[in-house]
């Protein structure tokens, strides 16, 4: 047996080797004394591991950890007897299906030629029993290659371990990753979603094919806000998954309108007293919506007590760990859990898996005790001549009585039992979600190995930029490829694992409903997608949801009932902001509606809260409308002047059509101001910012088309090549610039409206005396990108115009464009702090002032000088003067702004481009 030494110090930490140093000896001591005093290595113990190992003829082995059983059998204090590795009980059909999915994935990879050709993968799969102790045993066995507690040596004559898939729960993955990470063994999780595992400082080699709870918690918070629930209960398993999941949910859901009613935990070690305490809290709370972050195994004992307590009319929000679990989704639980809404990871179809699952029979391999146990448990019979020791349940049952439930039966299995007759989660392939993640996790390891195999010539590894050999590599070398190049395709899906080891995949929002056979059906009622840490997409179909309450309607979950007529709301000191007291109206006064209201100044009657928005009838609103209409009329007057004098040199200079488009866009931006006035509605919130952004993009792209020509003219002074480029730059290219710019802005606006559009919002956060009607702008990122593109166009306009401002000319348009852009920048730079420091209708007024000021600035700087020449100095509006071929003696006129001339090698350079 070949022993390959691994470095590290964990051996002394977890049942390592007990070593006695060699003692010194005198020359006179005999040989026997020397041997007695010589140091010894003594094996401290062995593990009792169950699972599947197939490494014959394999070049590399992939490890796997799965909860094939629910728990370990609790033993009494073992100090009087030698400690033994704990045994497991409670066969888990779902976990067994995950095991088979891993084996099926490895078989699929071994059959393919495009991944690891001519390389056979093996597997080494162990049962975690859903406990930390067994998970640690598994991890140490992976390191040593044996079921012995010797973690600083790898002693195995078989194929080397490449990576590990698992373990099943977040707490188990955290425990195993702390050990495997010390040796930099790659580990790919399929069901562990805890936020902690994203910390690469603590878990440098952990990757996963399931999204982090950061994503799921955001989706749950969006669900709660969507339905307007304000009083929420939370229940978490007493482990890292539950505690950190609920913590992330609270951070995202709590605000001035939404509060947490209670937070309870489910004990990891069964305690009926603690579970009954949780049940009592659920019974007494007035919160009708409860979020549960727990595995199905931990949640099941609580579920039994809820059924006994006949607690119904609650809406449960399920985490991905139990939303589709057959252990919880049982018809007898429907009175309590019917109408549950949960988040389920992406579902997949795995070709050939169902046939592979059905290819199981104890007679095929008499040594496969897991297959025998599966058969005995599934058909409630005893396999002849078997002595499977794991068919009893020694746990106290949920009623508190000391029972030993024997799963074995006096009836012997005949071997003729039909798998097709089973109504069993093992054979249910209709909701392959975690199973699909197991399949993807195996492929992640395979693709990492394939990337390592493909390295040729220079590689990434020091000291000589070497490649690692697929025949002999270290775990950290494989981890390099899995951490830096983990993007691959599985069954048509692109899987992209980021530098934190996380993936972003969409969640299906499922609702528990009954089907025709009275079984629980998982009906998809929505979707939540968060492609990165900033953007997210939430859709739900309200009409498809089944609500489990007597009215079968959308439930209300609030700290208080609405105050009845004759009462008003009052603040409760020391209570969350969602709670209030209903105070009777003053004598002689009444209230006959249940809307938000407040007492009057004299505290003598109840009055409706004041509603604030910039109304058309306000003096401020009317003034702003008048300024908008005035500006639009001025622009239309300029357009009339241009149309009347459209054949004059000044109007035709530098593309007449672009001038008309600029005027049209200014009308749009000025009239957009009116959309900001009036009571906000969803349609007006969505149209105002988009229309403004499109108007400015059209205006600025047209100005850019003009200034590009001026810029080329500037370059043409000193370059014949630039002169040729300028001469070839026809008006059609200016219009192409406009078209491309506007289409880009249209694409950004469309994405903004589809992904996270603005909505009308009632704001009571800043004052209790009034309700501010305003627009929630939705995705701030998209809003910034949308207007950021306009700023980008403005910067290009300014730079191209500023460079061209000193062209020798009779009429240099670049100077006035530069001034216009400076006005534009000054207005919007001043707007930002003013906008952020105001509230209510004045916040809207500030934005309208900015729109009007920037529009008037562009109008005045670009068109007023031209109109001055056209109307008051027509003598200067000639081809010769505008084209720079004749001088002007009119000292009272300002420099014109359409063309320029320069003597460069006796060549005239002009920007006049006639239509």
């Amino acid at each position: 047996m070949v022993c390959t030494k691994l470095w590290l110090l964990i051996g002394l930490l977890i049942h390592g080797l007990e070593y006695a140093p060699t003692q010194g000896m005198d020359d006179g001591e005999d040989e026997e004394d020397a041997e007695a005093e010589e140091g010894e290595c003594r094996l401290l113990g062995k593990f009792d591991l169950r699972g599947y190992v197939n490494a014959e003829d394999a070049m590399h082995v992939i490890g796997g950890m799965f909860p094939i059983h629910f728990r370990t059998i609790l033993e009494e204090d073992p100090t009087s007897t030698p400690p033994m590795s704990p045994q497991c009980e409670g066969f888990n059909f779902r976990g067994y299906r995950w095991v088979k999915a891993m084996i099926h994935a490895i078989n699929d990879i071994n059959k393919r030629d495009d991944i690891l050709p001519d390389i056979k993968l093996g597997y080494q799969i162990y049962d975690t029993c859903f406990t930390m102790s067994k998970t640690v045993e598994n991890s140490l066995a992976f390191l040593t290659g044996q079921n012995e507690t010797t973690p600083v040596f790898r002693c195995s004559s078989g194929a080397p371990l490449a990576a590990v898939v698992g373990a099943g729960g977040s707490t188990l993955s955290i425990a195993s990753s702390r050990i495997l990470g010390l040796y930099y063994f790659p580990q790919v999780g399929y069901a562990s979603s805890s936020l902690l595992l994203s910390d690469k400082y603590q878990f440098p080699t952990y990757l996963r094919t399931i999204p982090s709870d950061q994503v799921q918690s955001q989706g749950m918070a969006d669900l709660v806000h969507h339905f307007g629930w304000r009083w929420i209960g939370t229940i978490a398993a007493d482990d890292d998954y539950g505690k950190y999941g609920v913590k992330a949910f609270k951070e995202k859901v709590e605000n001035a309108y939404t509060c947490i009613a209670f937070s309870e935990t489910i004990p990891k070690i069964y305690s009926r007293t603690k579970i009954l305490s949780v049940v009592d809290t659920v019974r007494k709370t007035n919160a009708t919506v409860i979020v549960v972050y727990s595995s199905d195994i931990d949640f099941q004992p609580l579920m039994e007590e809820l059924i006994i307590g006949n607690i119904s009319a609650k809406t449960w929000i399920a985490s991905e760990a139990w939303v589709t679990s057959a252990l919880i989704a049982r018809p007898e639980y429907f009175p309590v859990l019917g109408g549950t809404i949960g988040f389920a990871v992406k579902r997949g179809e795995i070709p050939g898996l169902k046939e592979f699952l059905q290819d199981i029979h104890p007679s095929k391999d008499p040594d496969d005790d897991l297959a025998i146990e599966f058969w005995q448990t599934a058909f409630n019979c005893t396999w002849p001549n078997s002595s499977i020791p794991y068919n009893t349940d020694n746990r106290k049952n949920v009623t508190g009585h000391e029972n030993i439930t024997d799963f074995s039966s006096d009836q012997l299995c005949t071997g003729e039992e039909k798998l097709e007759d089973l109504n069993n989660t093992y054979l249910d392939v209709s909701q392959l979600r975690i199973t699909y993640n197991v399949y993807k996790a195996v492929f992640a390891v395979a693709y990492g190995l394939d990337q390592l195999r493909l390295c040729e010539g220079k590689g990434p590894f020091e000291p000589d930029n070497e490649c690692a050999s697929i025949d002999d590599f270290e775990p950290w070398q494989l981890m390099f490829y899995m951490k830096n190049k983990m993007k691959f395709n599985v069954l048509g899906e692109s899987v992209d694992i980021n530098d934190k080891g996380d993936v972003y995949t969409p969640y299906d929002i499922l609702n528990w409903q009954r089907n025709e056979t009275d079984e629980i059906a998982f009906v998809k009622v929505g979707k939540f997608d968060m492609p990165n840490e900033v953007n997210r997409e939430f859709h739900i179909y309200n009409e498809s949801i089944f609500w489990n309450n007597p009215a079968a309607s959308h439930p209300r979950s609030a700290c208080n009932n609405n105050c009845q007529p004759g009462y008003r709301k009052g603040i409760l000191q020391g209570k969350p902001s969602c709670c209030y007291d209903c105070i009777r109206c003053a004598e002689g006064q009444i209230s006959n509606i249940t809307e938000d209201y407040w007492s009057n100044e004299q505290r003598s009657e109840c009055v409706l809260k004041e509603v604030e928005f910039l109304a058309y009838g306000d003096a401020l609103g009317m003034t702003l409308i008048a300024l908008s209409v005035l500006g639009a009329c001025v622009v239309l007057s300029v357009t009339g002047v241009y149309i009347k004098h459209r054949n004059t040199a000044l109007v035709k200079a530098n593309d007449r059509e672009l001038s008309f488009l600029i005027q049209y866009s200014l009308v749009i931006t000025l009239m957009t101001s009116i959309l900001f006035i009036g009571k906000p509605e969803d349609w007006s919130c969505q149209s105002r910012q988009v229309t403004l952004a499109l108007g400015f993009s059209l205006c600025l792209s047209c100005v850019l088309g003009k200034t590009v020509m001026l810029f080329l003219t500037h370059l043409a002074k000193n370059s014949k090549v630039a002169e040729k480029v300028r001469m070839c730059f026809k008006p059609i290219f200016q219009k192409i610039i406009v078209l491309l710019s506007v289409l880009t802005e249209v694409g950004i606006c469309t994405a903004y409206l589809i992904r996270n559009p603005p909505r009308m919002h009632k704001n009571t956060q800043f004052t209790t005396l009034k309700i501010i009607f305003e627009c929630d702008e939705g995705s701030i990122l998209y809003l910034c990108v949308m207007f950021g593109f306009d700023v980008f166009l403005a910067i290009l306009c300014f730079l191209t115009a500023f460079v061209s401002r000193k062209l020798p000319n009779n009429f240099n348009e670049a100077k006035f464009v530069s001034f216009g852009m400076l006005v534009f920048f000054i207005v919007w730079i001043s707007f930002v702090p003013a906008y952020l420091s105001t509230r209510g209708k004045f916040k809207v007024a500030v934005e309208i002032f900015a729109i009007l000021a920037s529009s008037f600035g562009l109008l005045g700087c670009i068109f007023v000088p031209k109109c001055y020449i056209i109307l008051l100095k027509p003598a200067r509006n000639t081809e010769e003067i505008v084209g720079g071929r004749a001088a002007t003696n009119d000292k009272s006129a300002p420099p014109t702004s359409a063309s320029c001339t320069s003597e460069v090698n006796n060549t005239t350079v002009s920007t006049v481009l006639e239509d």
Side-chain angles (χ1 to χ4, degrees):
M1 186 174 290
V2 179
C3 294
T4 304
K5 188 172 182 182
L6 299 175
W7 67 279
L8 231 317
L9 36 107
I10 192 163
L12 299 177
L13 239 108
I14 311 174
H15 305 302
L17 292 175
E18 186 177 275
Y19 179 73
T22 303
Q23 304 295 322
M25 294 179 290
D26 294 333
D27 294 337
E29 293 179 338
D30 59 20
E31 186 175 348
E32 290 183 1
D33 292 337
E35 290 177 358
E37 295 182 3
E38 192 174 305
E40 294 180 353
C41 288
R42 181 166 59 87
L43 185 66
L44 291 181
K46 286 181 175 288
F47 298 141
D48 182 16
L49 301 177
R50 302 184 70 205
Y52 289 101
V53 177
N54 183 0
E56 294 182 6
D57 303 324
M59 190 170 179
H60 293 287
V61 173
I62 300 178
M65 292 187 281
F66 297 92
I68 304 175
H69 291 86
F70 288 129
R71 57 196 163 267
T72 56
I73 299 175
L74 296 178
E75 300 286 351
E76 299 298 329
D77 186 3
T79 55
S80 60
T81 59
M84 301 290 291
S85 181
Q87 295 181 338
C88 304
E89 63 181 358
F91 194 82
N92 182 2
F93 290 105
R94 191 185 188 200
Y96 194 53
R97 184 180 66 202
W98 296 346
V99 171
K100 292 292 187 177
M102 177 174 174
I103 298 174
H104 180 61
I106 291 177
N107 291 342
D108 284 352
I109 293 168
N110 287 336
K111 295 174 184 176
R112 292 176 60 162
D113 295 329
D114 57 331
I115 306 174
L116 300 175
D118 302 322
I119 295 176
K120 182 180 178 182
L121 295 178
Y123 51 82
Q124 186 177 352
I125 300 173
Y126 292 135
D127 181 11
T128 66
C129 303
F130 203 66
T131 57
M132 192 180 300
S133 61
K134 277 293 182 183
T135 303
V136 172
E137 289 182 3
N138 293 347
S139 303
L140 295 177
F142 286 133
L143 294 177
T144 64
Q146 304 182 36
N147 62 340
E148 299 174 352
T149 53
T150 318
V152 292
F153 286 91
R154 172 77 182 175
C155 299
S156 175
S157 59
L161 181 72
V164 175
V165 172
S170 292
T171 298
L172 308 186
S173 290
I174 288 170
S176 61
S177 186
R178 291 195 188 278
I179 298 173
L180 296 173
L182 292 174
Y183 300 90
Y184 228 69
F185 261 102
Q187 183 177 359
V188 185
Y190 54 86
S192 304
S193 55
S194 173
L195 282 72
L196 281 179
L197 290 165
S198 297
D199 184 352
K200 294 303 103 177
Y201 180 77
Q202 296 189 63
F203 310 101
T205 62
Y206 190 85
L207 303 89
R208 51 186 164 191
T209 55
I210 187 172
S212 162
D213 284 333
Q214 189 78 18
V215 180
Q216 182 176 205
S217 299
Q218 183 63 66
M220 287 181 171
D222 287 353
L223 178 73
V224 168
H225 293 153
H226 172 80
F227 286 112
W229 294 322
R230 299 189 174 188
W231 195 233
I232 311 299
T234 64
I235 298 176
D238 191 15
D239 56 19
D240 295 304
Y241 170 71
K243 290 185 290 187
Y244 284 96
V246 164
K247 179 176 180 291
F249 169 74
K250 289 179 180 179
E251 290 173 352
K252 291 174 173 56
V253 79
E254 286 186 294
N255 54 33
Y257 315 104
T258 309
C259 307
I260 300 300
F262 67 87
S263 291
E264 293 286 347
T265 57
I266 306 172
K268 290 294 289 184
I269 299 176
Y270 179 78
S271 168
R272 190 164 189 259
T273 302
K274 294 180 180 179
I275 289 177
L276 288 177
S277 174
V278 178
V279 172
D280 190 54
T281 300
V282 173
R283 179 186 291 109
K284 292 178 179 179
T285 184
N286 57 350
T288 59
V289 177
I290 302 172
V291 173
V292 179
Y293 253 104
S294 170
S295 69
D296 52 351
I297 297 172
D298 291 329
F299 186 43
Q300 199 262 347
L302 174 61
M303 195 62 251
E304 291 284 352
E305 291 295 346
L306 291 171
I307 287 291
I308 294 172
N310 193 27
I311 296 175
S312 59
K314 302 287 185 183
T315 298
W316 299 84
I317 309 299
S319 66
E320 99 293 332
W322 65 274
V323 66
T324 58
S325 169
L327 187 66
I328 304 297
R330 295 157 59 179
E332 57 266 34
Y333 291 168
F334 193 81
V336 173
L337 293 180
T340 291
I341 301 176
F343 286 73
V345 294
K346 186 175 182 179
R347 178 174 168 268
E349 300 285 345
I350 303 177
L353 179 62
K354 186 169 186 178
E355 293 74 16
F356 184 75
L357 294 175
Q358 291 175 337
D359 186 24
I360 181 175
H361 199 281
S363 62
K364 289 188 176 182
D365 184 1
D367 295 328
D368 187 353
D369 55 355
L370 287 175
I372 295 174
E373 186 179 359
F374 164 80
W375 203 268
Q376 292 183 159
T377 309
F379 295 106
N380 193 26
C381 60
T382 301
W383 189 256
N385 302 320
S386 72
S387 56
I388 304 300
Y390 303 101
N391 53 4
T392 56
D393 184 355
N394 296 278
R395 189 191 63 177
K396 289 182 179 180
N397 69 10
V398 294
T399 61
H401 300 296
E402 190 78 40
N403 275 359
I404 296 180
T405 305
D406 194 349
F407 288 128
S408 64
S409 171
D410 294 335
Q411 180 182 354
L412 292 178
C413 302
T414 64
E416 301 297 326
E417 293 85 3
K418 302 293 185 182
L419 286 173
E420 295 80 4
D421 298 336
L422 286 177
N423 183 14
N424 187 299
T425 186
Y426 170 76
L427 293 173
D428 184 6
V429 295
S430 62
Q431 295 287 335
L432 296 182
R433 298 180 186 275
I434 301 299
T435 308
Y436 181 50
N437 282 345
V438 172
Y439 194 85
K440 289 192 291 186
V442 176
F443 269 80
V445 178
Y447 273 97
L449 286 168
D450 201 48
Q451 289 292 328
L452 185 146
R453 177 187 67 86
L454 293 172
C455 179
E456 295 180 358
K458 289 188 177 181
F461 305 117
E462 298 295 340
D464 300 319
N465 291 331
E466 299 172 343
C467 287
S469 171
I470 189 66
D471 299 320
D472 183 20
F473 63 87
E474 296 296 327
W476 61 269
Q477 292 174 318
L478 173 60
M479 190 61 209
F480 170 83
Y481 291 98
M482 298 189 68
K483 190 172 184 178
N484 295 290
K485 298 182 180 180
M486 235 339 65
K487 187 171 185 179
F488 56 94
N489 288 285
V490 178
L491 302 178
E493 179 192 355
S494 178
V495 181
D496 190 358
I497 302 179
N498 64 19
D499 57 356
K500 292 183 178 179
D502 293 332
V503 296
Y504 288 97
T505 58
Y507 281 93
D508 291 335
I509 302 176
L510 305 180
N511 180 228
W512 286 20
Q513 304 180 15
R514 280 193 187 274
N515 58 19
E516 297 79 5
T517 60
D518 280 342
E519 297 292 328
I520 292 179
F522 306 114
V523 179
K524 183 177 177 179
V525 296
K527 178 182 178 182
F528 178 75
D529 191 11
M530 191 171 171
N532 52 54
E533 295 182 357
V534 179
N535 298 321
R536 64 183 189 270
E537 179 182 354
F538 179 87
H539 296 292
I540 195 162
Y541 322 117
N542 297 3
E543 64 279 358
S544 305
I545 298 177
F546 166 75
W547 301 107
N548 188 27
N549 55 56
S553 61
H554 167 223
R556 178 180 183 272
S557 189
C559 182
N560 301 73
N561 292 324
N562 285 330
C563 290
Q564 297 301 310
Y567 292 84
R568 65 174 178 86
K569 293 180 181 179
I571 297 175
L572 285 176
Q573 297 296 331
K575 294 290 184 178
S577 59
C578 306
C579 300
Y580 51 83
D581 193 13
C582 291
I583 302 173
R584 192 168 186 83
C585 291
E587 185 176 353
Q589 305 295 331
I590 66 168
S591 66
N592 57 5
I593 52 178
T594 58
E595 298 289 335
D596 288 324
Y597 49 91
W598 201 249
S599 61
N600 64 358
E601 187 175 354
Q602 293 77 28
R603 306 290 176 90
S604 59
E605 62 177 337
C606 296
V607 295
L608 283 173
K609 286 185 178 180
E610 180 185 349
V611 175
E612 180 179 298
F613 58 88
L614 186 57
Y616 293 108
D618 290 352
L620 182 58
M622 295 176 65
T623 301
L624 294 174
I625 292 175
L627 290 174
S628 301
V629 174
L630 174 63
C633 292
V634 173
V635 176
L636 292 175
S637 299
V638 172
T639 303
V641 171
Y642 266 58
I643 293 174
K644 182 177 180 181
H645 299 276
R646 61 186 177 278
N647 293 320
T648 61
L650 193 57
V651 174
K652 292 165 64 178
N654 206 357
D655 204 297
R656 176 174 50 189
E657 284 79 6
L658 290 184
S659 297
F660 284 119
L661 281 175
I662 294 174
Q663 295 160 18
Y664 172 71
S665 64
L666 288 175
V667 172
I668 293 176
T669 56
L670 287 165
M671 297 307 294
T672 299
S673 304
I674 298 178
L675 293 174
F676 287 80
I677 304 174
K679 182 180 178 181
E681 303 288 350
D682 285 349
W683 68 267
S684 63
C685 291
Q686 294 169 13
S687 61
R688 58 171 65 169
Q689 301 289 11
V690 170
T691 306
L692 179 63
L694 289 173
F696 274 129
S697 66
L698 177 60
C699 177
L700 295 170
S701 60
C702 291
V703 175
L704 180 61
K706 285 174 170 285
T707 57
V708 165
M709 178 53 66
L710 296 173
F711 180 69
L712 291 176
T713 301
H714 169 75
L715 295 180
K717 290 193 305 177
N718 301 313
S719 172
K720 291 184 178 180
V721 175
E723 169 62 11
K724 291 180 180 179
V725 172
R726 188 192 70 84
M727 296 301 294
C728 295
F729 196 83
K730 298 179 180 180
I732 185 63
F733 295 116
Q734 295 176 284
K735 296 178 177 65
I736 289 174
I737 292 175
V738 175
L739 179 62
L740 293 177
S741 301
V742 173
L743 287 178
T744 301
E745 188 69 84
V746 168
I748 297 172
C749 294
T750 302
Y752 177 38
L753 293 177
I754 292 175
R755 302 286 291 184
N756 194 357
R759 292 181 176 86
M760 183 268 183
H761 172 62
K762 294 181 179 180
N763 190 345
T764 58
Q765 182 176 359
F766 299 104
T767 175
T768 57
L769 299 178
K770 63 177 64 175
I771 302 173
I772 300 174
F773 283 18
E774 61 184 15
C775 289
D776 179 357
E777 300 299 349
S779 173
I780 301 301
L781 176 64
Y782 275 107
L783 189 69
C784 292
V785 171
M786 189 169 65
F787 284 107
F789 183 72
D790 288 339
V791 174
F792 173 71
L793 291 176
I795 292 173
L796 290 181
C797 292
F798 176 73
L799 293 177
T800 51
F802 185 78
V803 170
S804 311
R805 74 193 187 285
K806 292 185 179 181
L807 284 172
N809 58 74
N810 288 335
F811 204 105
N812 186 0
E813 188 173 23
K815 292 181 179 179
F816 296 99
V817 172
S818 299
F819 281 122
M821 291 301 104
L822 285 174
V823 171
F824 186 86
F825 292 140
I826 291 171
V827 168
W828 287 102
I829 290 173
S830 304
F831 157 77
V832 172
Y835 183 79
L836 295 176
S837 61
T838 53
R839 303 292 177 199
K841 63 182 180 181
F842 298 104
K843 191 173 187 177
V844 178
V846 167
E847 186 167 2
I848 296 176
F849 275 123
I851 296 169
L852 296 177
S854 56
S855 299
F856 277 116
L858 292 174
L859 174 65
C861 290
I862 296 177
F863 292 107
V864 169
K866 288 187 177 183
C867 290
Y868 175 83
I869 298 297
I870 293 171
L871 297 176
L872 301 180
K873 300 290 181 179
R876 296 191 59 191
N877 193 6
T878 64
E879 297 286 348
E880 291 76 13
I881 294 178
V882 171
R885 295 185 294 275
T888 174
N889 294 322
D890 187 0
K891 302 298 183 182
S892 63
T896 54
S897 58
S899 65
C900 52
T901 60
S902 177
E903 295 297 326
V904 181
N905 297 326
N906 297 323
T907 301
T908 300
V909 181
S910 174
T911 63
V912 177
L913 297 177
E914 297 188 353
D915 299 327

